[in-house]
């Protein structure tokens, strides 16, 4: 497979995870492209304007990329903490629209500011890798790390609290769960993932402009999660990989590709209302792989 | 220098478009509790229908290159016909993107995605058929009207006057229908409590279709009007309006008809008041306004507070 | 000092006075019943105690300290747990997971240990699972521990909600119509079960229930609410003979 496409798919999976985190807690936040744009802008600005980061070799040092990621994470984290306190009081579709408004405000401001390059954006972002394969391996490692963190989160106390809030936040509060803090945690984690992903994307795309964080992106990333499934981290990863690849894989059908893409996201939820990847599916798969087809002691409930 | 009256007029005509857009969302939201993301695409198609019906020719880039209807209707006839076509399209969207989910009792959130899928299909279908170039509806189709009218010393484009007049007419007709007619009352009942309404003998599937039909009609007409007063800027031009319409919808309060009108006018006027040298920030002004209102009044200006029963 | 004091409590929703100067004192260890027709304000009283509804006037005291303005998770952490009249289970989770959420406040572990799955982390998680299973066993739900909560029978769901509430190790348990939807045999068992958990966990129980025989047999003391006001208070025998109660239930002249 083309490494460049693979890299885009991996970025899609990361953005899917960013939308998934608040959604797992029942919060429909569409702020991901905004934090993604902030991460990208931070990387673009630092790597093109800060000579100290450029290093002496022919390629841009990876340590500098890591430093940009740390700075982007700090910035998006602090911002999400402040904004989250305010917007997470809204529910359902109101939260979704308030986050869309945030993303739009950010986009318009980036578009009009001098130092972010206006509508054209920032060009010539230095390359830490000399091939798309280099990017893909770096991003794969990042994705693996974040998946692992999500997996741990799901299987431990805060993850259980998130799932409980999603099912019924009043009942969750009555079990002693601080629902406001738990929602904020999910929102901040989502922002961190998006911000870090933006840093990698800015280097990979080589240029950065305000268009990369717009309303379309909000909805596409949401489609990753709804299509893939929002009850386990594997869902958004699957959805992000597949739906990013789909328009490219459909290139042979030419102009029809976006129409086919539309058909897929139209039909997907009809056949997989919980998303394609669900915890039940995973359980079934596990059982198929691990256990011989004999009745087990546990499954004997009438 | 623009006079205050001109600013007011610009604001009102943009605001009226937003209000009509938000009303389309609101009608569907009030019966189903979800946002129809294909609404922008239906608006866009309404504009293209109008263009074709007045006898406009398709450019060179689509599958339908060079197509022109054998007749040319006057604008005042083409516009409602485009509205009807858009309504038919909205019914189709309901049939393929909403009803299957409802039949299966799925999470309403999924309709956001399925309707988005329908929107993506429609927009790309337009691109495939008529290309990505922009089209404009010549003012000549209106008959022999002067390009601008002089009202109290201010020059106002006559297309804006027409847009405002038709928008006002549509808004008035809609509120009359909702408050005065049997089906309008039934629609309110379904939005209050779908199950009870069903028990009282209201056919909620029928009401949902009516809501989609009217919202599609409004979207189609609005598309034609915007096509006339601005231009049809390619297959994606509905998205920006759709987004603004969402903002207006929430600003006014979900499910509230007067709220949608009020929200539309507020945002339209606020945008018109942005001075020319800061016009790049126009969109930020409207969304900033929306954001502030949500923080102070989470249910929107005229919406009812949300509460959950224990 | 009594465990829970409700003082002159009033709640107003717009034009509706849901509760009007209600006074109650619940003593440590007792099973205290709330009776009253539908709409009398019983659930509203529960909602105020558990922090879901704000009082318009008066106050609720827990061991002498005022609970006003505390959010519901704080109140839960003080040792007040509840069930809900219309069942609010976590419907996407298994029975076991529901109870594990109930153990939330007692399951705190260092984040690093959780990430690295250290030995002590896994031992503690195993302990939590064990506790959850024991609670399920107490309510005869151990066989369905991996079953989805939404797939249980109505009576089982009621019992699961009680198990989840107990998981937070409360001192006061608020039960909102625990017998609703249960068959007569289940109702008889329920009475026994509530007594048993009261003794085993040294609980105080405040219970709302319409099934009068169950309430008279189970409760140490009862209060009767009607139209938001307390119209009677006392032992089951006293309440049963109270003319105001007879009137509220059967109408004037009965």
């Amino acid at each position: 497979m083309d490494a460049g496409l693979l890299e885009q798919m991996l970025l899609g999976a990361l953005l899917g995870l960013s939308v998934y985190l608040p959604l797992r807690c029942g919060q429909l936040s569409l702020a991901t492209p905004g934090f993604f744009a902030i991460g990208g802008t931070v990387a673009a600005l630092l790597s093109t304007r800060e000579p100290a980061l450029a290093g002496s070799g022919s390629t841009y040092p990876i340590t500098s990329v890591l430093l940009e990621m740390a700075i982007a994470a700090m910035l998006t984290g602090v911002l999400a903490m402040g904004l989250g306190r305010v917007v997470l009081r809204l529910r359902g579709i109101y939260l979704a629209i308030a986050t869309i408004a945030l993303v739009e405000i950010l986009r318009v401001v980036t578009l009009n500011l001098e130092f972010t390059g206006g509508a054209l954006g920032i060009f010539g972002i230095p390359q830490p890798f000399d091939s798309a394969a280099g990017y893909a391996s770096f991003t794969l490692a990042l994705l693996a790390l974040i998946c692992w963190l999500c997996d741990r989160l799901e299987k431990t106390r805060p993850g259980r609290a998130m799932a409980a809030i999603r099912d019924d936040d009043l009942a969750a509060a009555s079990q002693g769960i601080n629902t406001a803090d738990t929602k904020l945690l999910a929102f901040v984690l989502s922002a961190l993932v998006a911000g870090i992903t933006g840093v990698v994307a800015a280097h990979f795309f080589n240029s950065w402009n305000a268009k990369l964080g717009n309303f379309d992106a909000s909805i596409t990333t949401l489609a990753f999660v709804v299509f893939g499934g929002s009850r386990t981290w594997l869902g958004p990863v699957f959805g992000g990989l597949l739906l990013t690849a789909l328009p490219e894989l459909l290139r042979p059908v030419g102009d029809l590709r976006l129409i086919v893409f539309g058909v897929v996201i139209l039909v997907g939820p009809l056949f997989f209302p919980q998303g394609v990847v669900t915890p039940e599916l995973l359980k079934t798969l596990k059982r198929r792989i691990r256990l011989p087809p004999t009745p087990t002691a546990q499954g004997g409930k009438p | 220098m623009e006079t205050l009256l001109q600013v007011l007029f610009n604001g009102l005509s943009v605001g009226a478009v937003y209000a009509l857009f938000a009303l389309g969302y609101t009608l569907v939201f009030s019966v189903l509790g979800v946002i129809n993301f294909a609404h922008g695409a239906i608006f866009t198609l309404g504009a293209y229908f109008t263009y074709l019906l007045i006898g406009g020719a398709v450019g060179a880039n689509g599958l339908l290159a060079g197509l022109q209807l054998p007749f040319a209707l006057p604008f005042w006839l083409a516009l409602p016909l485009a509205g009807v076509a858009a309504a038919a399209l909205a019914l189709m969207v309901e049939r393929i993107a909403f009803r299957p989910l409802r039949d299966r009792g799925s999470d309403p959130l999924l309709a956001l995605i399925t309707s988005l899928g329908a929107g993506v299909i429609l927009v790309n279908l337009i691109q495939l058929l008529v290309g990505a170039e922009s089209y404009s509806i010549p003012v000549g189709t209106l008959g022999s009207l002067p390009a601008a009218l002089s009202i109290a010393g201010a020059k106002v484009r006559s297309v804006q006057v027409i847009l405002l007049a038709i928008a006002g007419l549509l808004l008035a007709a809609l509120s009359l229908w909702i408050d005065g007619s049997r089906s309008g009352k039934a629609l309110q009942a379904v939005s209050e409590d779908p199950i009870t309404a069903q028990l009282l003998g209201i056919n909620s599937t029928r009401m949902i279709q009516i809501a989609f039909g009217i919202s599609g009609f409004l979207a189609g007409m609005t598309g034609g009007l915007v096509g006339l007063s601005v231009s049809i800027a390619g297959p994606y031009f509905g998205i920006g309006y759709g987004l603004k319409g969402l903002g207006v919808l929430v600003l006014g309060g979900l499910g509230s008809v007067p709220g949608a009108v009020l929200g539309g006018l507020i945002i339209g006027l606020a945008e018109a008041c942005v001075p020319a040298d800061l016009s790049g920030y126009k969109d930020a002004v409207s969304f900033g306004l929306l954001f502030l209102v949500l923080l102070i009044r989470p249910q929107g200006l005229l919406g009812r507070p949300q509460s959950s029963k224990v | 000092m009594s465990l829970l004091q409700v003082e002159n409590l009033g709640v107003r929703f717009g034009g509706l006075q849901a509760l009007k100067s209600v006074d109650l004192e619940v003593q440590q260890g007792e099973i205290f019943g709330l009776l009253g027709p539908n709409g009398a304000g019983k659930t509203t009283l529960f909602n105020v105690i558990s922090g879901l509804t704000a009082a318009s006037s008066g106050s609720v005291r827990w061991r002498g300290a005022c609970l006003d303005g505390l959010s519901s998770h704080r109140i839960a952490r003080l040792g007040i747990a509840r069930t809900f009249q219309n069942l609010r289970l976590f419907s996407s989770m298994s029975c076991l997971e529901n109870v594990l959420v109930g153990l939330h406040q007692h399951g705190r572990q260092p984040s690093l240990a959780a990430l690295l799955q250290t030995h002590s982390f896994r031992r503690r998680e195993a302990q939590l699972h064990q506790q959850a299973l024991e609670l399920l066993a107490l309510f005869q739900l151990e066989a369905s521990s991996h079953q989805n909560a939404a797939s249980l029978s109505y009576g089982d769901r009621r019992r699961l909600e009680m198990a989840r509430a107990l998981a937070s190790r409360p001192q006061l348990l608020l039960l909102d119509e625990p017998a609703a939807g249960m068959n007569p045999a289940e109702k008889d068992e329920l009475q026994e079960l509530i007594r048993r958990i009261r003794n085993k966990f040294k609980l105080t129980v405040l219970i709302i229930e319409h099934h009068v025989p169950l309430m008279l047999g189970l409760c140490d003391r009862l209060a009767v609410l009607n139209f938001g006001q307390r119209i009677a208070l006392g032992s089951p025998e006293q309440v049963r003979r109270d003319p105001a109660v007879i009137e509220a239930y059967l109408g004037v002249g009965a």
Side-chain angles (χ1 to χ4, degrees), chain A residues 148-149 152 155-157 160-161 163-164 167-168 170-179 231 280 298 301, chain C residues 52 72-73 76-77 84 88 90-93 100-102 104-105 107-108 114-115 117 121 125 143 146-147 164:
Chain A
W148 175 70
L149 289 172
R152 293 312 308 147
K155 294 196 172 121
T156 52
R157 186 171 167 272
R160 280 198 293 268
D167 275 0
D168 188 330
L170 272 181
S174 322
Q175 309 308 313
I177 293 171
N178 186 337
T179 52
R231 286 173 50 210
E280 291 76 23
Q298 237 187 12
K301 172 98 179 119
Chain C
L52 297 175
S72 45
H73 74 268
R77 288 178 190 187
F84 294 87
R88 304 190 78 131
F90 303 123
S91 52
S92 74
M93 299 185 192
L100 281 173
V101 174
H104 182 80
Q105 345 165 14
R108 196 181 286 277
L115 277 182
Q117 288 175 273
F121 169 82
E125 279 289 295
H146 288 281
Q147 219 172 312
R164 183 182 71 181

Side-chain angles (χ1 to χ4, degrees), chain B residues 172-196:
Chain B
L174 186 70
S175 24
L176 272 180
W177 174 73
I178 288 181
D179 288 327
S181 74
R182 249 178 80 89
S183 46
K185 287 251 168 22
L187 185 83
Q188 282 176 305
V190 174
S191 78
E192 288 281 330
D193 186 342
I195 295 169
T196 311

Side-chain angles (χ1 to χ4, degrees), chain A residues 211-230:
Chain A
K211 271 206 201 100
L212 290 159
N214 65 6
F215 173 60
D216 274 5
S218 297
I219 297 298
T220 323
T221 42
L222 176 63
F224 296 168
V225 185
V226 175
F227 185 82
S230 58

Side-chain angles (χ1 to χ4, degrees), chain A residues 5-300:
Chain A
L5 174 60
L6 180 64
E7 168 68 7
Q8 285 187 36
M9 290 164 63
L10 294 168
L11 293 173
L14 283 165
L15 290 178
L17 283 171
S18 166
V19 179
Y20 154 81
L21 283 160
L23 202 57
R24 189 176 150 74
C25 194
Q27 307 303 301
L28 178 57
S29 157
L30 298 175
T32 289
F35 292 115
F36 175 69
I38 291 177
T41 308
V42 165
L45 286 174
L46 288 174
S47 62
T48 54
R49 313 262 159 97
E50 192 50 68
L53 288 174
S56 52
S58 60
T59 53
Y60 189 73
I62 293 181
T63 46
S64 299
V65 178
L66 293 176
L67 186 68
E68 289 164 17
M69 285 166 116
I71 293 170
M74 248 178 328
L75 194 66
T76 50
V78 169
L79 200 65
M81 221 177 276
L83 286 173
R85 281 251 173 260
V86 184
V87 292
L88 289 170
R89 289 184 309 183
L90 300 170
R91 290 161 172 270
I93 205 84
Y94 286 88
L95 173 65
I97 308 244
T99 50
I100 290 178
L102 282 177
V103 171
E104 280 297 298
I105 294 171
L106 189 74
R107 184 182 65 87
V108 172
V109 171
T110 328
L111 207 59
N112 284 284
L113 286 180
E114 199 73 40
F115 75 98
T116 52
L120 292 174
I122 298 166
F123 290 95
I125 298 173
Q127 299 296 302
F129 306 104
D130 43 23
S131 71
Y135 276 104
S137 4
F138 180 76
T139 315
L140 188 64
L142 181 65
L143 179 64
L145 175 73
I146 290 174
C147 285
W148 175 70
L149 289 172
C150 286
D151 186 62
R152 293 312 308 147
L153 182 72
E154 274 174 26
K155 294 196 172 121
T156 52
R157 186 171 167 272
R160 280 198 293 268
M162 286 180 189
I165 293 172
R166 174 188 179 143
D167 275 0
D168 188 330
D169 65 343
L170 272 181
S174 322
Q175 309 308 313
I177 293 171
N178 186 337
T179 52
D181 282 3
T182 310
K183 288 175 192 173
L184 188 65
L185 173 71
F187 188 71
V188 170
L189 288 176
S190 155
L192 293 181
V193 173
I196 290 174
T197 309
V199 172
V200 184
H203 285 284
F204 176 65
F205 293 149
N206 189 25
S207 71
W208 194 258
N209 66 48
K211 271 206 201 100
L212 290 159
N214 65 6
F215 173 60
D216 274 5
S218 297
I219 297 298
T220 323
T221 42
L222 176 63
F224 296 168
V225 185
V226 175
F227 185 82
S230 58
R231 286 173 50 210
T232 146
W233 57 268
L234 267 166
V237 171
F238 174 79
L241 291 174
L242 184 77
L243 292 188
T244 317
L246 197 61
E248 295 306 314
L249 297 179
L250 287 173
R251 226 173 246 295
V253 298
D255 291 338
L256 281 174
R257 68 196 177 100
L258 284 174
I259 296 181
V260 178
F261 178 76
V263 171
V264 170
I265 58 175
L266 168 64
V267 173
L270 299 181
F271 289 101
F272 304 100
Q274 303 266 356
V276 177
V277 189
T278 60
E280 291 76 23
L281 176 78
L282 295 180
K283 266 183 211 158
T284 317
L285 285 179
K286 247 186 214 163
R287 219 174 293 147
R288 288 250 171 94
I289 295 166
R290 272 198 202 151
L291 296 174
T294 49
T296 58
Q298 237 187 12

Side-chain angles (χ1 to χ4, degrees), chain C residues 16 24 36 44 47 97 108 115 117 132 144 153-154 219 237 244:
Chain C
L16 176 78
L24 284 180
T44 305
N47 288 349
E97 287 167 325
R108 196 181 286 277
L115 277 182
Q117 288 175 273
S144 351
S153 76
Y154 206 75
C219 298
E237 198 51 28

